[in-house]
Amino acid sequence: MRLPSLLCTLLVSSSVSFGLSACGEGDADEGSETGDDSSGTASSSTSTSSTSSEATSGDGDGDTSTSTGDGDGDGDGDGDGDGAVNCSPEGIALVDAINEVRAQNSLSAIPLSPSLCHVAQVHSQDLFDNEPDAPAECNLHSWSDQGSWTACCYTEDHAAAQCMWDKPSELTNYNDTGYEISAGGYPTVEAAVEGWMGSAGHRAVMLNEGQWGNLTWRAIGGGYVDGHWNVWFGELEDPGWP
């Protein structure tokens, strides 16, 4: 069985890069701004990003959980006005847990995105079925050649970063960059989120801290398959599932 691990793709406005790695129950080692990885297990990547306006707020009632109803209050989840369309129960639970943490830090909830849920779920399934991260040099942001997407071995030199960032537009009509955090080997939603919160880099993504402070998350989606947890963030509002 693989040890629990974490991965995060980072964007910073200054175009500098730094490594982020973790292995174990939420322990993370941050590298330097030259991309060095102090533990050598897995690294993150960086690129440039644009500034955004104020984040979209929730429904104003203080409830950070994701609605799975149809918008009429009956909660039957038939898809009308429902951001949970195309999202797995585990994916919704991931998003709810992250929005709960955001609420605890006086931040607004990020709207659930069916498009980003699809990307997260497809990636989790690909990691489980095809193990594109099996080669030692490939990390959890890798994609296999067994689907209708661009394959890539995501390495610590970040040469394949664009391959990963383009996945929302490759797989859905979400025509904007997607940003991913990943975890492997954690048994529950709570454990995965706790692991991310225990890593400064992952926490920054979820809570818009540090270099992420000038970004506004307007879409979020989660996915899970057998120990593979993935969450995708986006600045563009979800255009709606086809």
Side-chain angles (χ1 to χ4, degrees):
M1 179 179 178
R2 295 180 182 178
L3 292 173
S5 60
L6 300 169
L7 264 180
C8 170
T9 294
L10 303 179
L11 296 190
V12 293
S13 58
S14 59
S15 300
V16 299
S17 64
F18 63 94
L20 174 68
S21 66
C23 190
E25 292 296 331
D27 293 331
D29 296 321
E30 288 190 59
S32 70
E33 290 191 345
T34 59
D36 295 332
D37 179 2
S38 57
S39 70
T41 53
S43 63
S44 63
S45 67
T46 66
S47 178
T48 57
S49 63
S50 59
T51 58
S52 304
S53 59
E54 185 175 349
T56 302
S57 62
D59 57 13
D61 61 5
D63 181 5
T64 61
S65 63
T66 301
S67 171
T68 59
D70 59 5
D72 59 9
D74 61 9
D76 60 12
D78 63 5
D80 289 334
D82 181 5
V85 169
N86 217 49
C87 298
S88 68
E90 294 87 357
I92 294 171
L94 271 177
V95 170
D96 283 348
I98 289 173
N99 277 332
E100 175 73 20
V101 170
R102 286 177 62 86
Q104 293 168 3
N105 288 270
S106 302
L107 297 171
S108 61
I110 308 170
L112 187 66
S113 162
S115 298
L116 296 187
C117 278
H118 178 71
V119 178
Q121 191 65 28
V122 168
H123 196 197
S124 294
Q125 192 69 56
D126 184 46
L127 288 166
F128 174 68
D129 288 341
N130 303 308
E131 299 185 345
D133 60 324
E137 68 275 16
C138 304
N139 66 33
L140 290 171
H141 293 315
S142 302
W143 291 74
S144 77
D145 60 0
Q146 299 301 304
S148 57
W149 52 72
T150 302
C152 57
C153 169
Y154 198 105
T155 54
E156 63 182 20
D157 63 2
H158 320 304
Q162 197 65 49
C163 168
M164 189 272 294
W165 292 330
D166 287 346
K167 284 299 174 288
S169 59
E170 287 184 9
L171 297 173
T172 73
N173 64 347
Y174 189 95
N175 294 316
D176 202 18
T177 303
Y179 315 120
E180 179 184 58
I181 59 174
S182 299
Y186 287 85
T188 65
V189 167
E190 293 77 14
V193 173
E194 182 179 354
W196 284 323
M197 285 297 291
S199 160
H202 298 78
R203 174 190 168 96
V205 175
M206 294 190 292
L207 302 183
N208 294 105
E209 297 175 340
Q211 293 102 330
W212 297 88
N214 66 337
L215 301 183
T216 298
W217 298 140
R218 296 184 176 88
I220 186 174
Y224 169 81
V225 176
D226 196 29
H228 297 284
W229 307 91
N230 291 293
V231 178
W232 286 73
F233 300 81
E235 294 186 87
L236 180 73
E237 291 182 7
D238 195 301
W241 189 250

